[in-house]
Structures are given as structure tokens and as C-alpha cells.
Amino acid sequence: MVSEECEFCEIVDRDDPDVREIYRDESVVAFFPTEPAALGHVLIVPRRHVPDIWSLEPDEAADLSRAALLLADAIREAVTPEGLSVIQSNGDTATQTVPHLHIHLVPRWKDDAIGPIWPVGTDFSEVSKEAAMLDVRDAAERLRSFTELPIAPEDRRKHLDYIQAVVTRQSAASSSAKGWLLPIVTATFGFAITQHTWPLAALGMVAVVLFAYLDANYLRSEKRFRRLYDTVARSTRRVPLFTLDPVDADEILANDAPAMSKWKKAVHTYLPKWSIWASWSIAPFYIALLLLGVGVLIASAS
């Protein structure tokens, strides 16, 4: 949409005979301002009438960025500046004089007529700076879900296939652990009874405990990947595409959440929860073997 009262829209429409245009494509127009701040000063505007940055579409922002990079290289080659200021202002308070979004590319030299554009110092308190930082960060998190592009269905299916493959491997590893344990238990408990050597029975029980821990961790990992699968399948929250890190499915902690102590972090990392130990694939199988080991231990010690 073109504004009839916008001087930059006139330039876009080629209605300004005095304009010093230097670049044009299907999305942007660039020209020298009437009163340049420095020789080589360039203005870049979107061809659509966009009053400020809050009205800019993401694809328009990408087009402006590409044009700015191209023209920055052109300025460096043409006038060899010592530096370059990229300035984009919005609103009267920010010194925007034309209500059509524009980017200034201003070549800079030491002691040029522009001078410093930043204050020498400020007196903001640490509390106010921290509060502003947290407010902007929280707003960015809230808005990100509205600005991210949707995931293509084919990409989602591939992601789910990858996660399902990991779940299958974890389940197979759990079955393998039980398969490896049975001959060990048979050998140690059998020799303990026939040879009346209780240390072998104790060794078999230690093997049961170690394999139970290994199997519980396989089950914990499988459950975490299943949670990641559900998160991706149901789109309950945004996760990185093709991630295989189950942590991405966990809820993000609040900013004011207390930090976890090293001890609790170690327990959380290395020790499965009680619900894992009590599951049907862990408790019945390994408790039965431990009870059998207790019987063998008593029999071999007598």
C-alpha cells in the first residue's frame, strides 16, 4: 500500500524527479538523501509503505537486510570509509522524520561532522537494568511462539521416526540386559549350591543389583524419549527440529526457580526415580532373582 502523503512512497513510484536513486529491486529502493550526513550516505526503504519496524513483515526485513549488506559493501568499495553506522529510527522521539521505515547507511571517518551518537554515560541503577532485561527476555519468549514458522508435516514425521528408532533401541537394550543376566545368575547360583560356596551366591546377587540399575536406566531413558515423542507429536511445546535430546521435552524452569544443589543434581542424573524401580519390567523380575539369591546364599552357607 502506498501513502499519498509520503515522500518516500513518491520515490518508490518514481514521482520525485530530483531523487538520486542508486539501487532498486522487487522489494526495496535505495537512494542518496538530499542532505547527506556524509559523502556516501545511503537510505534504504521498503517499496511497501511501512510506517515503522513494528509494521514490518519478516520477509520484508530479510529483503532489507540483504540490500543493506550489498550496499554496505558498495559504500566500502566506493568511498573507503573508516567505519559505517547503520541507523534505523522509529517515532518522533527517536528522530524519525519521515513516517516510512528507512535504514541509514552512513560512512564514518574520524572527526567527521556527525560526532558521537551515544551518551558518554548513564546513571541507571542495577535494579532497573535487571528488571528491564527480565521484562524484555520474558516478552521475547512469549512472542517467539507466534513468530516461528510451522513445521512441515513431512519433517515432523521424520522427526518422530528418529525418536521411535531410539525408543526401540532402548527397549531392545533392556531385553538384552535381562538375557545377559540369566546365564550369569544360573552359573553363580548353581555353583554356589553344588560347591557350597556362599561368596558365589553373593556375587550373583551383586550382578542382579548391577543389572537392575542398568535396566532401570534403560527404562528411564526410554520413558524420556517417549515423552519427547509425545511432545513432538502433539505439539504441546516447541522443540528444535530433529532434536534427539529428551531434555528439550522438559518444561522450562521459571526465572525465579531455585537452583538445584550439586547433590540433588547428581541424584537426578544418575539415580532413576522410584516409579521406574517399581515398574512391572524391573521390580518383579529382579526382586524374584534377589529372593532366589537369598535362598541360595542361605543354602550354600549351611
Side-chain angles (χ1 to χ4, degrees):
M1 185 179 74
V2 176
S3 173
E4 296 180 356
E5 299 179 356
C6 176
E7 58 189 272
F8 286 173
C9 285
E10 291 180 2
I11 292 174
V12 169
D13 288 345
R14 302 184 189 273
D15 290 336
D16 184 348
D18 298 324
V19 67
R20 298 185 179 93
E21 183 177 310
I22 62 167
Y23 178 81
R24 176 184 290 262
D25 62 24
E26 64 277 4
S27 303
V28 307
V29 175
F31 52 92
F32 280 6
T34 305
E35 296 292 337
L39 291 177
H41 179 179
V42 171
L43 282 174
I44 311 172
V45 302
R47 295 182 66 164
R48 183 174 75 92
H49 181 75
V50 181
D52 51 41
I53 195 170
W54 297 289
S55 305
L56 192 66
E57 297 293 338
D59 57 340
E60 292 173 322
D63 293 336
L64 283 167
S65 297
R66 282 191 291 269
L69 290 173
L70 184 151
L71 292 167
D73 286 339
I75 291 170
R76 181 171 60 179
E77 181 176 326
V79 299
T80 59
E82 297 174 357
L84 181 76
S85 290
V86 181
I87 304 170
Q88 200 284 303
S89 303
N90 300 275
D92 294 340
T93 305
T95 70
Q96 180 184 10
T97 56
V98 179
H100 185 130
L101 182 139
H102 51 282
I103 298 174
H104 295 266
L105 299 183
V106 186
R108 301 297 306 271
W109 288 269
K110 185 178 181 181
D111 299 326
D112 59 26
I114 302 171
I117 61 175
W118 297 102
V120 176
T122 59
D123 57 355
F124 301 117
S125 67
E126 291 300 320
V127 173
S128 63
K129 288 187 286 187
E130 182 73 10
M133 181 274 292
L134 293 174
D135 288 344
V136 173
R137 187 176 68 181
D138 291 345
E141 287 295 327
R142 288 195 303 272
L143 294 172
R144 184 169 62 175
S145 60
F146 297 103
T147 58
E148 290 177 330
L149 296 176
I151 297 175
E154 183 61 28
D155 287 339
R156 188 186 303 279
R157 283 194 293 270
K158 289 180 180 179
H159 194 180
L160 293 174
D161 287 343
Y162 294 154
I163 300 172
Q164 182 59 50
V166 176
V167 171
T168 302
R169 286 198 296 269
Q170 296 295 327
S171 180
S174 176
S175 300
S176 297
K178 293 181 175 68
W180 279 101
L181 177 62
L182 288 176
I184 295 174
V185 168
T186 301
T188 53
F189 288 175
F191 274 103
I193 290 179
T194 57
Q195 302 299 320
H196 296 284
T197 54
W198 65 265
L200 275 177
L203 181 62
M205 294 177 67
V206 170
V208 171
V209 173
L210 290 177
F211 273 82
Y213 175 75
L214 180 65
D215 201 356
N217 277 285
Y218 281 138
L219 179 60
R220 178 176 65 168
S221 179
E222 179 185 338
K223 287 181 176 294
R224 295 181 70 197
F225 276 101
R226 287 188 184 277
R227 187 167 66 252
L228 177 61
Y229 185 98
D230 290 341
T231 301
V232 173
R234 299 175 183 176
S235 299
T236 52
R237 61 183 300 267
R238 188 83 175 193
V239 299
L241 185 60
F242 300 126
T243 181
L244 290 179
D245 187 352
V247 173
D248 290 326
D250 295 340
E251 292 295 330
I252 299 176
L253 295 177
N255 295 327
D256 57 352
M260 190 180 297
S261 66
K262 291 184 178 180
W263 169 249
K264 287 186 177 180
K265 186 178 296 184
V267 170
H268 177 75
T269 303
Y270 298 108
L271 189 63
K273 294 181 178 179
W274 171 249
S275 60
I276 300 292
W277 293 104
S279 65
W280 65 268
S281 63
I282 302 294
F285 182 81
Y286 292 100
I287 289 177
L289 290 180
L290 284 175
L291 291 176
L292 177 62
V294 171
V296 171
L297 182 64
I298 294 173
S300 59
S302 58

Coordinates of all heavy atoms in Angstrom, one line a residue, residues 4-34:
E4 N -0.3 8.5 0.0 CA -0.3 9.6 -0.9 C 0.6 10.8 -0.4 O 1.0 11.6 -1.1 CB -1.7 10.1 -1.2 CG -2.5 9.0 -2.0 CD -3.9 9.5 -2.2 OE1 -4.3 10.6 -1.8 OE2 -4.7 8.8 -2.9
E5 N 0.7 10.8 0.9 CA 1.4 12.0 1.5 C 2.8 11.6 2.0 O 3.5 12.3 2.7 CB 0.6 12.5 2.8 CG -0.8 13.0 2.4 CD -1.5 13.4 3.6 OE1 -1.0 13.3 4.7 OE2 -2.7 13.9 3.5
C6 N 3.3 10.5 1.5 CA 4.7 10.0 1.9 C 5.7 10.3 0.9 O 5.5 9.9 -0.3 CB 4.6 8.5 2.2 SG 6.3 7.8 2.6
E7 N 6.7 11.1 1.2 CA 7.7 11.5 0.2 C 8.6 10.3 -0.2 O 9.0 10.2 -1.4 CB 8.6 12.6 0.8 CG 9.4 12.2 2.0 CD 10.1 13.4 2.6 OE1 11.2 13.6 2.2 OE2 9.5 14.1 3.4
F8 N 8.7 9.3 0.6 CA 9.5 8.1 0.2 C 8.6 7.2 -0.7 O 9.2 6.5 -1.6 CB 9.9 7.3 1.4 CG 11.0 7.9 2.2 CD1 11.5 7.4 3.4 CD2 11.7 9.0 1.7 CE1 12.5 8.0 4.1 CE2 12.7 9.6 2.4 CZ 13.1 9.1 3.6
C9 N 7.3 7.2 -0.5 CA 6.5 6.5 -1.5 C 6.5 7.1 -2.9 O 6.5 6.5 -3.9 CB 5.0 6.5 -1.0 SG 4.7 5.3 0.4
E10 N 6.7 8.5 -2.9 CA 6.9 9.1 -4.2 C 8.2 8.7 -4.9 O 8.2 8.5 -6.1 CB 6.9 10.6 -4.0 CG 5.6 11.2 -3.6 CD 5.7 12.7 -3.4 OE1 6.8 13.3 -3.6 OE2 4.7 13.4 -3.0
I11 N 9.2 8.5 -4.1 CA 10.5 8.0 -4.7 C 10.3 6.6 -5.2 O 10.7 6.2 -6.3 CB 11.6 8.1 -3.6 CG1 11.9 9.5 -3.3 CG2 12.8 7.3 -4.1 CD1 12.9 9.7 -2.1
V12 N 9.6 5.7 -4.4 CA 9.3 4.4 -4.8 C 8.5 4.3 -6.2 O 8.8 3.5 -7.1 CB 8.5 3.6 -3.7 CG1 8.0 2.3 -4.3 CG2 9.4 3.4 -2.5
D13 N 7.6 5.3 -6.3 CA 6.8 5.3 -7.5 C 7.4 6.1 -8.6 O 6.8 6.4 -9.7 CB 5.4 6.0 -7.2 CG 4.5 5.1 -6.4 OD1 4.8 3.8 -6.3 OD2 3.5 5.5 -5.8
R14 N 8.7 6.5 -8.4 CA 9.4 7.3 -9.4 C 8.7 8.7 -9.7 O 8.8 9.2 -10.8 CB 9.6 6.6 -10.7 CG 10.3 5.2 -10.6 CD 10.5 4.6 -11.9 NE 11.0 3.2 -11.9 CZ 12.3 2.8 -11.8 NH1 13.2 3.7 -11.7 NH2 12.6 1.5 -11.7
D15 N 8.1 9.3 -8.7 CA 7.4 10.5 -8.9 C 8.3 11.7 -8.4 O 7.8 12.9 -8.4 CB 6.1 10.5 -8.1 CG 5.1 9.6 -8.8 OD1 5.2 9.4 -10.0 OD2 4.2 9.2 -8.0
D16 N 9.5 11.4 -7.9 CA 10.4 12.5 -7.5 C 11.5 12.7 -8.5 O 12.4 11.8 -8.5 CB 10.9 12.2 -6.1 CG 11.8 13.3 -5.5 OD1 12.1 14.3 -6.3 OD2 12.1 13.3 -4.3
P17 N 11.5 13.7 -9.3 CA 12.5 13.8 -10.4 C 13.9 14.2 -9.9 O 14.9 14.0 -10.6 CB 12.0 15.0 -11.3 CG 11.1 15.8 -10.3 CD 10.5 14.8 -9.4
D18 N 14.0 14.6 -8.6 CA 15.3 15.0 -8.1 C 16.0 13.9 -7.3 O 17.1 14.2 -6.8 CB 15.1 16.3 -7.2 CG 14.5 17.5 -7.9 OD1 14.9 17.6 -9.1 OD2 13.7 18.2 -7.4
V19 N 15.4 12.8 -7.1 CA 15.9 11.7 -6.3 C 17.2 11.2 -6.9 O 17.3 11.1 -8.2 CB 14.9 10.6 -6.1 CG1 14.6 9.8 -7.4 CG2 15.4 9.6 -5.0
R20 N 18.2 10.9 -6.1 CA 19.4 10.3 -6.5 C 19.4 8.8 -6.2 O 20.0 8.3 -5.3 CB 20.6 10.9 -5.8 CG 20.8 12.4 -6.1 CD 22.1 12.9 -5.5 NE 22.3 14.3 -5.7 CZ 21.9 15.3 -4.9 NH1 21.3 15.0 -3.8 NH2 22.2 16.5 -5.2
E21 N 18.6 8.1 -7.0 CA 18.4 6.6 -6.8 C 19.7 5.9 -7.2 O 20.3 6.1 -8.2 CB 17.2 6.1 -7.6 CG 16.9 4.7 -7.3 CD 15.7 4.2 -8.0 OE1 14.6 4.9 -7.9 OE2 15.7 3.1 -8.7
I22 N 20.1 4.9 -6.3 CA 21.3 4.1 -6.7 C 21.0 2.6 -6.8 O 21.8 1.8 -7.3 CB 22.4 4.3 -5.6 CG1 21.9 3.9 -4.2 CG2 22.8 5.8 -5.6 CD1 23.0 3.8 -3.2
Y23 N 19.8 2.2 -6.3 CA 19.5 0.7 -6.3 C 18.0 0.5 -6.2 O 17.3 1.2 -5.5 CB 20.2 0.0 -5.1 CG 20.0 -1.4 -5.0 CD1 20.7 -2.4 -5.8 CD2 19.0 -1.9 -4.1 CE1 20.4 -3.7 -5.7 CE2 18.7 -3.3 -4.1 CZ 19.4 -4.2 -4.8 OH 19.2 -5.5 -4.8
R24 N 17.5 -0.5 -6.9 CA 16.1 -0.9 -6.9 C 16.0 -2.3 -7.2 O 16.7 -2.9 -8.1 CB 15.3 0.0 -7.8 CG 13.8 -0.4 -8.0 CD 13.2 0.4 -9.0 NE 13.0 1.8 -8.7 CZ 12.0 2.4 -8.1 NH1 10.9 1.7 -7.9 NH2 11.9 3.7 -7.8
D25 N 15.2 -3.1 -6.4 CA 14.8 -4.4 -6.8 C 13.3 -4.6 -6.5 O 12.6 -3.6 -6.3 CB 15.6 -5.5 -6.1 CG 15.5 -5.4 -4.6 OD1 14.5 -5.0 -4.1 OD2 16.5 -5.9 -3.9
E26 N 12.8 -5.8 -6.5 CA 11.4 -6.0 -6.3 C 10.9 -5.7 -4.9 O 9.6 -5.6 -4.7 CB 11.0 -7.5 -6.7 CG 11.6 -8.5 -5.8 CD 13.0 -8.9 -6.2 OE1 13.5 -8.3 -7.1 OE2 13.5 -9.9 -5.5
S27 N 11.8 -5.5 -4.0 CA 11.4 -5.3 -2.6 C 11.8 -3.9 -2.0 O 11.1 -3.4 -1.1 CB 11.9 -6.4 -1.7 OG 11.5 -7.7 -2.2
V28 N 12.9 -3.4 -2.4 CA 13.5 -2.2 -1.8 C 13.9 -1.2 -2.8 O 14.1 -1.5 -4.0 CB 14.6 -2.5 -0.8 CG1 14.2 -3.6 0.2 CG2 15.9 -3.0 -1.6
V29 N 14.1 0.0 -2.4 CA 14.7 1.1 -3.2 C 15.7 1.8 -2.3 O 15.5 2.0 -1.1 CB 13.6 2.1 -3.6 CG1 14.3 3.3 -4.4 CG2 12.6 1.4 -4.5
A30 N 16.9 2.2 -2.8 CA 17.9 2.9 -2.1 C 18.3 4.1 -2.9 O 18.3 4.1 -4.1 CB 19.1 2.0 -1.9
F31 N 18.6 5.2 -2.1 CA 18.9 6.5 -2.7 C 19.8 7.3 -1.8 O 19.9 7.0 -0.6 CB 17.6 7.2 -3.1 CG 16.6 7.4 -2.0 CD1 16.7 8.5 -1.1 CD2 15.7 6.4 -1.7 CE1 15.8 8.6 -0.1 CE2 14.8 6.5 -0.6 CZ 14.9 7.6 0.2
F32 N 20.4 8.4 -2.4 CA 21.1 9.3 -1.5 C 20.1 10.3 -1.0 O 19.2 10.8 -1.7 CB 22.1 10.1 -2.4 CG 23.4 9.3 -2.6 CD1 23.6 8.0 -2.2 CD2 24.5 9.9 -3.3 CE1 24.7 7.3 -2.4 CE2 25.6 9.2 -3.5 CZ 25.8 7.9 -3.1
P33 N 20.2 10.7 0.3 CA 19.3 11.7 0.8 C 19.7 13.1 0.3 O 20.8 13.3 -0.2 CB 19.6 11.7 2.3 CG 21.0 11.1 2.4 CD 21.1 10.2 1.3
T34 N 18.8 14.0 0.4 CA 19.0 15.4 -0.1 C 20.1 16.1 0.6 O 21.0 16.8 0.1 CB 17.7 16.2 0.0 OG1 16.7 15.6 -0.7 CG2 17.9 17.6 -0.6

